[in-house]
């Protein structure tokens, strides 16, 4: 295969013995190729695509191939605007712990589920195949799931969809892809739930925090006094059905949204044959995945530079260092939910967020939502918008400065700063004991977090 630039992913593939071309030209297409599989980001004028057409090769999108692989297997598809990677990774971890050995496709790195111990057997013998089901490019319309989950539905990818109604219709089409006799687990609280489930020929169950849901999730957070800068007590999640407690576990990741994702994974795993003791044990041992509220480490802050309200408390914080957290959140709902979870879990004196907007069209379409999503942050630093997929006209229609201006009007302390190296230097100058730094975005803003720790 080929990619446009070297990365840790391409390096890992090369180390595994796969041939990776980093020059995407017609010559990169092997002479003996019969099928070219392309991602949704590859356009029809791509040089390799043009060469494949010239040779008369079969050209399929990645989602089409993945959907075809579900045929003859127990396909499990996890859909939703938010939480797909976390839920799919945790579901994989549960099934592996339970000895069910699924095949899986996950759009994020999760060291626990790895791949080194997997064999080709389960991929070819009608076993379980798990996959994220992405609504971008309507990719999930190519899937053939036996079981599916819809975590949530919100406005996103408005460069492809006209409005929320069109997105809901797209999820409805996906739901109709579920095999007769299969099942759908869907968010109970969504206003569009009935629009999506109308006329389905499969078992439908709802899950959520509302007591009317088929599966009810309840989270008991530890009191603030039980949380210190160095030690955290996990929240307790309870999953119940028909008023009866089915399972209880200590949540490995902070936030009610993570408890909900874990509950969806738990119910789906049980439907696939996992026992509840294995499920709860696996959830409690889950270590998370890259760029999802990932604590990367701590950096030193010079406590001597700042006035101390409590010498002992500040000394403890200075010794512990300033936590540096990295997160993939790039949608207003993800930002708001994640910042609230981080604030509640760590209780920092000051929460500094470095947010890199991802895609100019998303920033423009959701500007007002972005403006109210940083309430929990004490300072927001905004680098330039990460350019992907949009046209040059769209690129000039909105800037990071526009977002900063809107945040300031909302009363948020915000500033625009670029390049990323300058952000690292600025953070090192202003960081204080008791702070927490979180980098957020789907682009390369993670370089700021790594730069602080490097």
């Amino acid at each position: 295969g080929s990619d446009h630039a070297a990365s840790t992913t391409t390096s890992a593939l090369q180390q595994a013995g796969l041939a990776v071309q980093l020059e995407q030209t017609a010559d990169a297409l092997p002479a003996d190729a019969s099928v070219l599989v392309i991602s949704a980001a590859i356009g029809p004028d791509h040089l390799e695509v043009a060469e494949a057409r010239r040779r008369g090769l079969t050209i399929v999108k990645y989602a089409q191939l993945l959907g075809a692989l579900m045929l003859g297997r127990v396909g499990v598809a996890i859909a939703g605007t938010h939480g797909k990677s976390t839920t799919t990774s945790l579901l994989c971890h549960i099934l592996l712990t339970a000895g069910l050995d699924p095949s899986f496709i996950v759009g994020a790195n999760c060291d626990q589920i790895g791949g080194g111990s997997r064999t080709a057997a389960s991929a070819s013998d009608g076993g379980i195949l798990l996959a994220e089901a992405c609504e971008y490019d309507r990719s999930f319309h190519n899937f053939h799931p036996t079981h599916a989950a819809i975590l949530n539905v919100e406005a996103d990818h408005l460069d492809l969809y006209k409005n929320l109604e069109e997105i809901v219709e797209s999820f409805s089409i996906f739901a109709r892809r579920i095999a007769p006799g299969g099942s759908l687990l869907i968010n109970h609280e969504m206003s569009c739930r009935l629009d999506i489930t109308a006329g389905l020929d499969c078992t439908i169950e709802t899950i959520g925090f509302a007591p009317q849901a088929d599966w009810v999730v309840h989270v008991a957070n530890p009191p603030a006094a039980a949380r210190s800068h160095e030690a955290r007590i996990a929240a307790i999640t309870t999953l119940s059905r028909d008023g009866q407690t089915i399972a209880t576990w200590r949540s490995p990741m902070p936030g009610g949204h993570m408890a909900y994702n874990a509950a969806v994974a738990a119910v789906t795993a049980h439907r696939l044959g996992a026992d509840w003791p294995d499920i709860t044990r696996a959830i409690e041992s889950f270590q998370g995945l890259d760029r999802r509220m990932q604590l990367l480490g701590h950096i030193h802050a010079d406590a001597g530079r700042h006035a101390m309200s409590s010498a002992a408390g500040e000394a403890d914080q200075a010794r512990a260092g300033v936590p540096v957290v990295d997160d993939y959140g790039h949608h207003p709902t993800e930002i708001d939910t994640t910042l609230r979870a981080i604030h509640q879990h760590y209780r920092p004196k000051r929460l500094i967020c470095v947010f890199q907007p991802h895609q100019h069209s998303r920033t423009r379409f959701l500007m007002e939502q972005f403006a109210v999503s940083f309430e929990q942050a004490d300072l927001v630093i905004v680098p330039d918008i990460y350019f992907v997929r949009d046209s040059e006209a769209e690129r000039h229609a909105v800037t990071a400065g526009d977002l900063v201006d809107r945040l300031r009007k909302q009363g948020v302390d915000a500033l625009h700063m670029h390049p990323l190296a300058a952000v690292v230097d600025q953070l090192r100058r202003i960081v204080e004991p008791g702070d927490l730094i979180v980098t957020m975005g789907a682009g390369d803003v993670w370089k700021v977090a790594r730069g602080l720790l490097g």
Side-chain angles (χ1 to χ4, degrees), residues 208-236:
F209 298 99
Q212 296 83 8
D214 294 318
W215 295 92
V216 180
V217 184
H218 180 264
V219 182
N221 289 307
R227 295 189 292 267
S228 70
H229 191 76
E230 297 182 0
R232 314 289 171 196
I233 297 178
I236 302 297

Side-chain angles (χ1 to χ4, degrees), residues 96-443:
L96 291 170
T97 300
L100 295 175
D101 193 31
S103 297
F104 49 85
I105 298 289
V106 181
N109 293 327
C110 179
D111 289 340
Q112 272 184 299
I113 61 176
S117 63
R118 304 278 64 77
T119 69
S122 62
S124 59
D125 64 359
I128 299 169
L129 174 58
L130 311 181
E132 294 183 39
C134 184
E135 72 275 20
Y136 177 72
D137 197 36
R138 295 172 172 81
S139 293
F140 58 0
H141 293 176
N142 296 287
F143 287 12
H144 301 279
T146 305
H147 304 289
I150 297 178
L151 302 169
N152 39 61
V153 177
E154 289 196 62
D156 198 8
H157 303 303
L158 294 172
D159 54 327
L160 291 173
Y161 293 101
K162 293 179 182 178
N163 47 41
L164 179 60
E165 288 73 22
E166 199 170 87
I167 295 171
V168 170
E169 172 61 19
S170 187
F171 273 87
S172 177
I173 294 171
F174 162 71
R176 294 199 291 271
R177 305 283 296 178
I178 300 171
S183 72
L184 172 64
L185 184 64
I186 188 169
N187 187 316
H188 181 88
E189 283 89 10
M190 293 193 306
S191 59
C192 61
R193 171 170 57 85
L194 295 180
D195 294 326
I196 292 174
T197 58
L200 294 185
D201 186 19
C202 66
T203 299
I204 302 168
E205 293 184 327
T206 69
I207 186 168
F209 298 99
Q212 296 83 8
D214 294 318
W215 295 92
V216 180
V217 184
H218 180 264
V219 182
N221 289 307
R227 295 189 292 267
S228 70
H229 191 76
E230 297 182 0
R232 314 289 171 196
I233 297 178
I236 302 297
T237 299
T238 301
L239 180 66
S240 60
R241 183 177 175 85
D242 298 328
Q244 301 295 316
T245 296
I246 302 299
T248 301
W249 61 82
R250 291 190 178 276
S251 300
M253 298 170 289
H257 65 302
M258 289 298 189
Y260 167 78
N261 292 340
V264 171
V267 173
T268 305
H270 186 257
R271 181 172 290 277
L272 293 169
D275 295 329
W276 287 112
D278 288 333
I279 292 171
T280 55
R281 178 166 55 90
I283 292 175
E284 292 188 338
S285 68
F286 189 57
Q287 298 171 11
L289 57 161
D290 290 357
R291 308 216 62 220
R292 271 62 174 184
M293 286 193 292
Q294 183 183 16
L295 177 61
L296 296 178
H298 297 75
I299 62 172
H300 177 71
D302 185 359
R305 293 178 299 166
H306 311 286
M308 304 293 184
S309 58
S310 169
E314 292 286 354
D316 289 342
Q317 290 178 339
R319 282 194 297 270
V322 171
V324 178
V325 176
D326 186 40
D327 191 83
Y328 188 73
H330 54 282
H331 183 280
T333 299
E334 295 167 349
I335 294 164
D336 177 70
T337 302
T338 299
L339 291 180
R340 289 181 184 279
I342 289 173
H343 197 280
Q344 183 180 54
H345 184 68
Y346 290 94
R347 300 286 177 176
K349 282 193 170 183
R350 188 173 60 157
L351 198 165
I352 302 173
C353 178
V354 182
F355 172 65
Q356 180 188 48
H358 184 264
Q359 199 177 9
H360 289 71
S361 58
R362 178 184 285 117
T363 306
R364 183 168 65 87
F365 287 133
L366 301 179
M367 180 66 75
E368 295 307 312
Q369 291 93 321
F370 277 119
V372 297
S373 63
F374 291 92
E375 181 183 348
Q376 296 297 309
D378 297 287
L379 171 64
V380 181
I381 300 175
V382 185
D384 286 350
I385 299 172
Y386 191 81
F387 178 66
V388 57
R389 292 198 299 263
D390 285 322
S391 65
E392 283 298 323
E394 190 69 61
R395 188 174 190 171
H396 290 92
V398 65
T399 68
D402 295 330
L403 177 57
V404 167
D405 290 342
R406 190 64 191 86
L407 288 172
R408 288 174 176 171
K409 289 179 181 178
Q410 196 66 29
V412 177
D413 189 3
L415 58 93
H416 172 220
M417 183 173 293
H418 203 81
L420 298 181
V423 178
V424 174
D425 291 340
Q426 177 70 2
L427 288 171
R428 285 175 174 159
R429 283 193 290 268
I430 68 173
V431 68
E432 303 177 8
D435 286 350
L436 182 144
I437 298 170
V438 55
T439 54
M440 300 188 76

Side-chain angles (χ1 to χ4, degrees), residues 3-38:
D3 206 345
H4 69 283
S7 65
T8 54
T9 300
T10 58
S11 296
L13 291 171
Q14 289 169 329
Q15 290 172 9
L18 297 174
V20 178
Q21 296 282 344
L22 296 178
E23 291 187 11
Q24 294 188 314
T25 66
D27 293 338
L29 197 62
D32 59 350
S34 57
V35 178
L36 178 66
V37 183
I38 62 175

